[in-house]
Amino acid sequence: MTRMTTSRSAPPEHSRNKLAEALESFGNVKAKHKRWMNFSPATIGRTRELHPHPVYSVRLKRFLAGRPLSATLKRVGWMYFLRDRSTGLACAEVSIVSGKHKNARLSEGPFVKEAFQLIEKSIRDPRIGRHRHALRSLRLESMHVFCLWIKVDHRAEYFIPVTSSSAVLRAGQWISRREFTKALRSEGQRICTAQERMSYLLEKHRG
């Protein structure tokens, strides 16, 4: 039997400190408002921290102007999945603004569950499970796309959409970097063209 080899991203100390501060603050809110959310925040020492990884965005204008995907990426935060003592699941994201780790936001619900389950399923897939890998996430808010980005042994990369409004970037689909770049550029151009058309029609209507 081949032993699975995994790689766990190590969050910077400043990010984890912000997470600890946020969990303490969220815990105080939860104590006063029991129905605020199902998850019960606690200090990091009493909360299971799962799949921490960096989150990136794409500078879309530069990308659509022809720049390589790697040249348009920007790290915007760190994401943590959290389990409380009752196995409640939540997701915390500590943002990065001007190179500094800022406040965390905490969320739960269908998206959190879907993202967590897709990560768990993906890292057990034969394409990844027997190799060292690095987990990341990629968010394109203007295109309503959020996907996992997994690098395997410096040999392969996979982009796996968690949510997407695009027919060419289907949720759960494993996509190579080349295919993802091509699909992202095509979809981005389509959206920009539609937005420009809408702006033109609005201006025409006002005139």
Side-chain angles (χ1 to χ4, degrees), residues 22-190:
L23 287 177
E24 182 177 358
S25 177
F26 293 147
N28 293 333
V29 174
K30 176 71 174 180
K32 297 178 181 179
H33 305 280
K34 301 295 184 182
R35 297 183 181 180
W36 172 54
M37 63 188 309
N38 295 324
F39 181 78
S40 296
T43 60
I44 281 185
R46 289 179 290 160
T47 300
R48 292 178 59 198
E49 178 189 315
L50 305 165
H51 306 305
H53 63 273
V55 182
Y56 291 81
S57 67
V58 177
R59 297 178 178 92
L60 197 56
K61 288 185 178 180
R62 296 184 187 182
F63 176 69
L64 296 180
R67 298 286 298 276
L69 178 62
S70 58
T72 63
L73 295 174
K74 179 181 180 181
R75 183 178 291 189
V76 295
W78 276 82
M79 181 172 286
Y80 305 79
F81 289 89
L82 307 169
R83 285 280 194 196
D84 63 19
R85 285 171 291 184
S86 299
T87 71
L89 180 67
C91 175
E93 184 175 337
V94 179
S95 62
I96 299 175
V97 180
S98 300
K100 296 182 179 181
H101 299 274
K102 298 294 185 179
N103 296 332
R105 60 182 179 183
L106 191 66
S107 57
E108 61 181 4
F111 167 77
V112 174
K113 183 178 180 180
E114 289 170 14
F116 181 78
Q117 290 178 341
L118 187 56
I119 291 173
E120 293 273 296
K121 180 180 179 181
S122 299
I123 62 178
R124 286 172 172 77
D125 187 279
R127 286 168 284 191
I128 292 177
R130 298 180 180 181
H131 306 284
R132 295 190 63 82
H133 64 271
L135 172 65
R136 302 167 182 177
S137 288
L138 192 63
R139 178 189 293 120
L140 295 97
E141 293 183 350
S142 62
M143 295 176 63
H144 307 290
V145 172
F146 184 91
C147 67
L148 307 181
W149 170 20
I150 305 177
K151 300 187 72 171
V152 185
D153 265 349
H154 304 291
R155 300 179 307 151
E157 289 181 84
Y158 299 103
F159 294 83
I160 312 172
V162 179
T163 60
S164 172
S165 60
S166 168
V168 296
L169 294 170
R170 298 190 305 274
Q173 179 184 15
W174 289 58
I175 311 172
S176 69
R177 174 183 273 265
R178 181 177 179 180
E179 293 171 336
F180 180 78
T181 300
K182 182 179 179 180
L184 189 64
R185 187 160 279 138
S186 174
E187 186 68 2
Q189 293 287 7
R190 184 189 69 80

